[in-house]
Amino acid sequence: MLSDALFNKFRSLIYEKTGINLSPEKKELLQARLGKRLRACSIASFKEYYKLVASNQEGPEFTHFVNSVSTNFTSFFREQAHFSFLEEIILPQFEEINSGNRNPIKVWSAACSSGEEPYTLAMVLEEYFLRNPGRGYRITATDISTKVLEQAKKGIYTADRLEKVPDSYLRKYFQKGVGRSAGYLRIKKEFFPNIQFLHFNLMEQFPWKSEIDVIFCRNVMIYFDRLTQQQMVNKFYDCLVPGGYLMIGHSESISSFRHSFRQKAATVFSK
Ligand SMILES: C[S@@+](CC[C@H](N)C(=O)[O-])C[C@H]1O[C@@H](n2cnc3c(N)ncnc32)[C@H](O)[C@@H]1O
């Protein structure tokens, strides 16, 4: 059993390292998830496991610890309005304003989970630039969880996860598995040499200054407390080019924070 006192110690450790603010109701969930790590490491108690991760925060078990506490739900074309806004408003606007600029549009999927969000972006951008040859694009997709990043890099999904992908995209960008891989589809990565997957913790300093054109940071700030969210919104502002865009999740809001963004649509902001 995970005691309340030890749960609070795990919570503090998770908060300090990842910004994730686990509510007291998450105790059972954490107990179940860490229970699996105890068995994997042949460790007898949560106390012993706490000592292991707290004393070695750069070690391999700490990575598993973080992987097991993050919530990774995602889907292709999740919150479709953002992709329509990108295609119909942002990309034509970038071409108009920066018609002489031939640098690829830089897009950051800032908590990309198992890849559905950056691959959706890639398909939308690919199709847009086929119809309107121009700057092209580059996507950097990052997440704190090494587990989901490995899935993202593989780009293999069960058929039920592709329900929202239009048929024409399915035919063009996915390969159906056969034999032992029946029921799975693999994204044809040869179409997308311009996606880079990187391990990155949003609590760190961001490595860009006025460089990114569009940031998708959706359904992750909701796990952070207000102060962390406020700081993050300002860090996003700094790394965007003037006129760049930030998309946040539809259940997230930055309206009560002090920031310099202009709101362009529900959950869409520009610098
Ligand atoms: C619910 S998923 C959202 C995925 C995608 N953006 C979407 O909207 O469908 C949240 C992701 O945020 C990641 N995450 C949580 N804390 C993070 C942090 N401090 N730095 C980077 N990623 C983090 C989790 O690992 C998880 O994959």
Side-chain angles (χ1 to χ4, degrees), residues 73-86 117 120-121 124 164 216-220 222 247-252 266-268:
F73 176 81
T74 186
S75 63
F76 282 95
F77 287 91
R78 182 179 191 183
E79 299 175 2
Q80 160 74 44
H82 286 147
F83 300 101
S84 304
F85 195 92
L86 176 68
E117 179 178 280
T120 303
L121 279 165
V124 168
K164 285 196 264 169
F216 272 57
C217 183
R218 308 184 310 158
N219 306 301
V220 58
I222 203 159
M247 321 289 215
I248 61 172
H250 282 172
S251 57
E252 296 169 321
T267 63
V268 178

Short mmCIF file of all heavy atoms in Angstrom, two decimals, residues 73-86 117 120-121 124 164 216-220 222 247-252 266-268:
data_model
loop_
_atom_site.label_atom_id
_atom_site.label_comp_id
_atom_site.label_asym_id
_atom_site.label_seq_id
_atom_site.Cartn_x
_atom_site.Cartn_y
_atom_site.Cartn_z
N PHE A 73 -2.91 10.29 -23.62
CA PHE A 73 -4.03 10.17 -24.57
C PHE A 73 -3.89 11.18 -25.72
O PHE A 73 -3.62 12.35 -25.50
CB PHE A 73 -5.39 10.37 -23.88
CG PHE A 73 -6.51 10.34 -24.88
CD1 PHE A 73 -7.01 9.12 -25.33
CD2 PHE A 73 -6.99 11.51 -25.45
CE1 PHE A 73 -7.99 9.08 -26.31
CE2 PHE A 73 -7.98 11.48 -26.43
CZ PHE A 73 -8.48 10.26 -26.86
N THR A 74 -4.11 10.71 -26.92
CA THR A 74 -4.04 11.59 -28.10
C THR A 74 -4.77 10.92 -29.24
O THR A 74 -5.21 9.77 -29.11
CB THR A 74 -2.57 11.89 -28.47
OG1 THR A 74 -2.54 12.85 -29.53
CG2 THR A 74 -1.81 10.63 -28.90
N SER A 75 -4.93 11.61 -30.36
CA SER A 75 -5.51 10.96 -31.54
C SER A 75 -5.17 11.76 -32.78
O SER A 75 -4.80 12.94 -32.68
CB SER A 75 -7.03 10.81 -31.40
OG SER A 75 -7.64 12.08 -31.34
N PHE A 76 -5.31 11.12 -33.94
CA PHE A 76 -5.13 11.82 -35.21
C PHE A 76 -6.27 12.83 -35.36
O PHE A 76 -7.41 12.56 -34.97
CB PHE A 76 -5.16 10.83 -36.38
CG PHE A 76 -3.87 10.08 -36.55
CD1 PHE A 76 -3.70 8.83 -35.97
CD2 PHE A 76 -2.83 10.63 -37.27
CE1 PHE A 76 -2.51 8.13 -36.12
CE2 PHE A 76 -1.63 9.95 -37.42
CZ PHE A 76 -1.47 8.70 -36.84
N PHE A 77 -5.97 13.98 -35.92
CA PHE A 77 -6.95 15.04 -36.17
C PHE A 77 -7.75 15.40 -34.91
O PHE A 77 -8.91 15.77 -35.00
CB PHE A 77 -7.88 14.67 -37.34
CG PHE A 77 -7.17 14.75 -38.66
CD1 PHE A 77 -6.53 13.64 -39.19
CD2 PHE A 77 -7.10 15.95 -39.36
CE1 PHE A 77 -5.84 13.72 -40.39
CE2 PHE A 77 -6.41 16.04 -40.56
CZ PHE A 77 -5.79 14.92 -41.08
N ARG A 78 -7.10 15.29 -33.76
CA ARG A 78 -7.77 15.69 -32.51
C ARG A 78 -7.98 17.21 -32.55
O ARG A 78 -7.07 17.95 -32.93
CB ARG A 78 -6.86 15.34 -31.33
CG ARG A 78 -7.47 15.67 -29.99
CD ARG A 78 -6.51 15.26 -28.88
NE ARG A 78 -7.16 15.31 -27.59
CZ ARG A 78 -6.55 15.06 -26.44
NH1 ARG A 78 -5.26 14.74 -26.43
NH2 ARG A 78 -7.19 15.11 -25.30
N GLU A 79 -9.15 17.65 -32.18
CA GLU A 79 -9.48 19.09 -32.21
C GLU A 79 -9.18 19.65 -33.61
O GLU A 79 -8.32 20.51 -33.80
CB GLU A 79 -8.74 19.82 -31.08
CG GLU A 79 -9.16 19.27 -29.72
CD GLU A 79 -8.40 19.84 -28.54
OE1 GLU A 79 -7.54 20.72 -28.72
OE2 GLU A 79 -8.68 19.40 -27.40
N GLN A 80 -9.93 19.13 -34.54
CA GLN A 80 -9.77 19.39 -35.98
C GLN A 80 -9.70 20.88 -36.32
O GLN A 80 -9.01 21.28 -37.27
CB GLN A 80 -10.94 18.70 -36.69
CG GLN A 80 -11.29 19.18 -38.06
CD GLN A 80 -10.28 18.71 -39.10
OE1 GLN A 80 -9.88 17.54 -39.10
NE2 GLN A 80 -9.86 19.61 -39.97
N ALA A 81 -10.40 21.73 -35.53
CA ALA A 81 -10.46 23.16 -35.87
C ALA A 81 -9.06 23.78 -35.97
O ALA A 81 -8.84 24.69 -36.78
CB ALA A 81 -11.28 23.90 -34.81
N HIS A 82 -8.12 23.29 -35.18
CA HIS A 82 -6.76 23.85 -35.25
C HIS A 82 -6.08 23.57 -36.59
O HIS A 82 -5.35 24.40 -37.11
CB HIS A 82 -5.88 23.25 -34.14
CG HIS A 82 -6.20 23.80 -32.78
ND1 HIS A 82 -6.10 23.05 -31.64
CD2 HIS A 82 -6.62 25.03 -32.39
CE1 HIS A 82 -6.44 23.79 -30.59
NE2 HIS A 82 -6.77 24.99 -31.03
N PHE A 83 -6.35 22.38 -37.13
CA PHE A 83 -5.71 22.03 -38.41
C PHE A 83 -6.35 22.83 -39.54
O PHE A 83 -5.67 23.24 -40.48
CB PHE A 83 -5.78 20.51 -38.64
CG PHE A 83 -5.08 19.75 -37.53
CD1 PHE A 83 -5.80 19.14 -36.50
CD2 PHE A 83 -3.69 19.71 -37.48
CE1 PHE A 83 -5.15 18.49 -35.46
CE2 PHE A 83 -3.03 19.06 -36.44
CZ PHE A 83 -3.77 18.45 -35.43
N SER A 84 -7.67 23.05 -39.44
CA SER A 84 -8.35 23.88 -40.45
C SER A 84 -7.83 25.31 -40.37
O SER A 84 -7.59 25.94 -41.40
CB SER A 84 -9.87 23.89 -40.22
OG SER A 84 -10.35 22.59 -40.20
N PHE A 85 -7.65 25.81 -39.16
CA PHE A 85 -7.15 27.19 -38.99
C PHE A 85 -5.75 27.32 -39.59
O PHE A 85 -5.43 28.30 -40.27
CB PHE A 85 -7.14 27.56 -37.49
CG PHE A 85 -7.00 29.03 -37.23
CD1 PHE A 85 -8.11 29.84 -37.09
CD2 PHE A 85 -5.73 29.61 -37.16
CE1 PHE A 85 -7.97 31.21 -36.87
CE2 PHE A 85 -5.59 30.98 -36.95
CZ PHE A 85 -6.71 31.77 -36.80
N LEU A 86 -4.94 26.31 -39.36
CA LEU A 86 -3.57 26.31 -39.91
C LEU A 86 -3.62 26.40 -41.43
O LEU A 86 -2.93 27.22 -42.05
CB LEU A 86 -2.86 25.02 -39.46
CG LEU A 86 -1.45 24.79 -40.00
CD1 LEU A 86 -0.47 25.80 -39.40
CD2 LEU A 86 -0.96 23.37 -39.66
N GLU A 117 -0.35 13.75 -33.28
CA GLU A 117 -0.44 15.20 -33.55
C GLU A 117 0.60 15.63 -34.61
O GLU A 117 0.21 16.25 -35.62
CB GLU A 117 -0.26 15.98 -32.25
CG GLU A 117 -0.31 17.49 -32.44
CD GLU A 117 -0.19 18.21 -31.10
OE1 GLU A 117 -1.19 18.31 -30.37
OE2 GLU A 117 0.94 18.64 -30.76
N THR A 120 -0.35 14.25 -38.02
CA THR A 120 -1.50 14.97 -38.59
C THR A 120 -1.01 16.28 -39.19
O THR A 120 -1.36 16.63 -40.33
CB THR A 120 -2.58 15.24 -37.51
OG1 THR A 120 -2.97 14.01 -36.91
CG2 THR A 120 -3.79 15.94 -38.11
N LEU A 121 -0.19 16.99 -38.42
CA LEU A 121 0.37 18.25 -38.93
C LEU A 121 1.12 18.02 -40.23
O LEU A 121 0.97 18.77 -41.20
CB LEU A 121 1.35 18.83 -37.90
CG LEU A 121 0.74 19.59 -36.73
CD1 LEU A 121 1.77 19.78 -35.62
CD2 LEU A 121 0.25 20.95 -37.22
N VAL A 124 -1.21 17.47 -43.20
CA VAL A 124 -1.89 18.72 -43.58
C VAL A 124 -0.90 19.65 -44.29
O VAL A 124 -1.21 20.23 -45.34
CB VAL A 124 -2.49 19.40 -42.32
CG1 VAL A 124 -2.94 20.82 -42.60
CG2 VAL A 124 -3.65 18.57 -41.78
N LYS A 164 -10.25 8.90 -37.71
CA LYS A 164 -10.48 10.28 -38.16
C LYS A 164 -9.59 10.70 -39.34
O LYS A 164 -9.67 11.82 -39.81
CB LYS A 164 -10.28 11.25 -36.98
CG LYS A 164 -11.45 11.19 -35.99
CD LYS A 164 -11.44 12.39 -35.06
CE LYS A 164 -10.76 12.07 -33.75
NZ LYS A 164 -10.49 13.23 -32.91
N PHE A 216 2.15 23.96 -31.43
CA PHE A 216 0.99 23.22 -30.92
C PHE A 216 1.39 22.72 -29.53
O PHE A 216 2.27 21.87 -29.41
CB PHE A 216 0.67 22.01 -31.82
CG PHE A 216 -0.25 22.32 -32.96
CD1 PHE A 216 0.06 23.30 -33.88
CD2 PHE A 216 -1.44 21.62 -33.13
CE1 PHE A 216 -0.78 23.59 -34.95
CE2 PHE A 216 -2.30 21.90 -34.18
CZ PHE A 216 -1.97 22.88 -35.09
N CYS A 217 0.78 23.29 -28.50
CA CYS A 217 1.03 22.78 -27.14
C CYS A 217 -0.33 22.48 -26.54
O CYS A 217 -0.92 23.30 -25.84
CB CYS A 217 1.78 23.79 -26.29
SG CYS A 217 2.12 23.05 -24.66
N ARG A 218 -0.84 21.31 -26.86
CA ARG A 218 -2.24 21.02 -26.55
C ARG A 218 -2.36 19.89 -25.54
O ARG A 218 -1.67 18.87 -25.62
CB ARG A 218 -2.96 20.65 -27.85
CG ARG A 218 -2.74 21.73 -28.94
CD ARG A 218 -3.52 21.46 -30.19
NE ARG A 218 -3.37 20.11 -30.66
CZ ARG A 218 -4.25 19.51 -31.47
NH1 ARG A 218 -5.32 20.17 -31.87
NH2 ARG A 218 -4.05 18.28 -31.86
N ASN A 219 -3.24 20.11 -24.58
CA ASN A 219 -3.60 19.08 -23.61
C ASN A 219 -2.42 18.60 -22.78
O ASN A 219 -2.30 17.43 -22.46
CB ASN A 219 -4.31 17.92 -24.33
CG ASN A 219 -5.48 18.41 -25.15
OD1 ASN A 219 -6.40 19.01 -24.61
ND2 ASN A 219 -5.42 18.24 -26.46
N VAL A 220 -1.55 19.54 -22.45
CA VAL A 220 -0.48 19.21 -21.50
C VAL A 220 -0.46 20.26 -20.38
O VAL A 220 -0.30 19.90 -19.20
CB VAL A 220 0.90 19.06 -22.18
CG1 VAL A 220 1.33 20.27 -22.94
CG2 VAL A 220 1.96 18.71 -21.15
N ILE A 222 -2.75 21.54 -18.96
CA ILE A 222 -3.82 21.21 -18.02
C ILE A 222 -3.29 20.41 -16.82
O ILE A 222 -3.88 20.41 -15.75
CB ILE A 222 -4.93 20.44 -18.79
CG1 ILE A 222 -6.24 20.56 -18.10
CG2 ILE A 222 -4.57 19.00 -19.07
CD1 ILE A 222 -7.43 20.30 -18.99
N MET A 247 -1.17 27.32 -30.44
CA MET A 247 -2.46 26.62 -30.27
C MET A 247 -2.42 25.88 -28.94
O MET A 247 -1.45 25.14 -28.69
CB MET A 247 -2.68 25.57 -31.35
CG MET A 247 -2.25 25.93 -32.73
SD MET A 247 -3.34 27.16 -33.38
CE MET A 247 -3.40 26.72 -35.08
N ILE A 248 -3.46 26.02 -28.15
CA ILE A 248 -3.54 25.24 -26.90
C ILE A 248 -4.78 24.34 -26.97
O ILE A 248 -5.61 24.50 -27.88
CB ILE A 248 -3.59 26.17 -25.65
CG1 ILE A 248 -4.82 27.07 -25.68
CG2 ILE A 248 -2.31 27.00 -25.56
CD1 ILE A 248 -5.02 27.87 -24.39
N GLY A 249 -4.91 23.42 -26.04
CA GLY A 249 -6.04 22.48 -26.08
C GLY A 249 -7.37 23.19 -25.85
O GLY A 249 -7.43 24.25 -25.22
N HIS A 250 -8.44 22.60 -26.37
CA HIS A 250 -9.76 23.26 -26.28
C HIS A 250 -10.29 23.37 -24.86
O HIS A 250 -11.16 24.19 -24.59
CB HIS A 250 -10.76 22.54 -27.20
CG HIS A 250 -10.57 22.93 -28.64
ND1 HIS A 250 -11.23 22.33 -29.67
CD2 HIS A 250 -9.76 23.85 -29.21
CE1 HIS A 250 -10.84 22.88 -30.82
NE2 HIS A 250 -9.95 23.80 -30.55
N SER A 251 -9.77 22.57 -23.94
CA SER A 251 -10.24 22.73 -22.56
C SER A 251 -9.24 23.56 -21.74
O SER A 251 -9.35 23.65 -20.53
CB SER A 251 -10.46 21.37 -21.91
OG SER A 251 -9.27 20.64 -21.99
N GLU A 252 -8.26 24.15 -22.41
CA GLU A 252 -7.26 24.96 -21.71
C GLU A 252 -7.53 26.44 -21.95
O GLU A 252 -8.18 26.80 -22.94
CB GLU A 252 -5.85 24.59 -22.19
CG GLU A 252 -5.50 23.14 -21.84
CD GLU A 252 -4.25 22.62 -22.52
OE1 GLU A 252 -4.03 22.93 -23.70
OE2 GLU A 252 -3.52 21.88 -21.88
N ALA A 266 -10.85 30.71 -30.77
CA ALA A 266 -10.84 29.97 -29.52
C ALA A 266 -9.55 29.15 -29.47
O ALA A 266 -9.25 28.42 -30.43
CB ALA A 266 -12.05 29.04 -29.46
N THR A 267 -8.77 29.32 -28.43
CA THR A 267 -7.53 28.55 -28.19
C THR A 267 -6.45 28.73 -29.27
O THR A 267 -5.56 27.89 -29.43
CB THR A 267 -7.80 27.03 -27.98
OG1 THR A 267 -8.38 26.48 -29.18
CG2 THR A 267 -8.71 26.77 -26.82
N VAL A 268 -6.55 29.84 -30.02
CA VAL A 268 -5.51 30.16 -31.01
C VAL A 268 -5.01 31.59 -30.74
O VAL A 268 -5.81 32.52 -30.64
CB VAL A 268 -6.07 30.12 -32.46
CG1 VAL A 268 -4.98 30.51 -33.46
CG2 VAL A 268 -6.62 28.74 -32.77
#
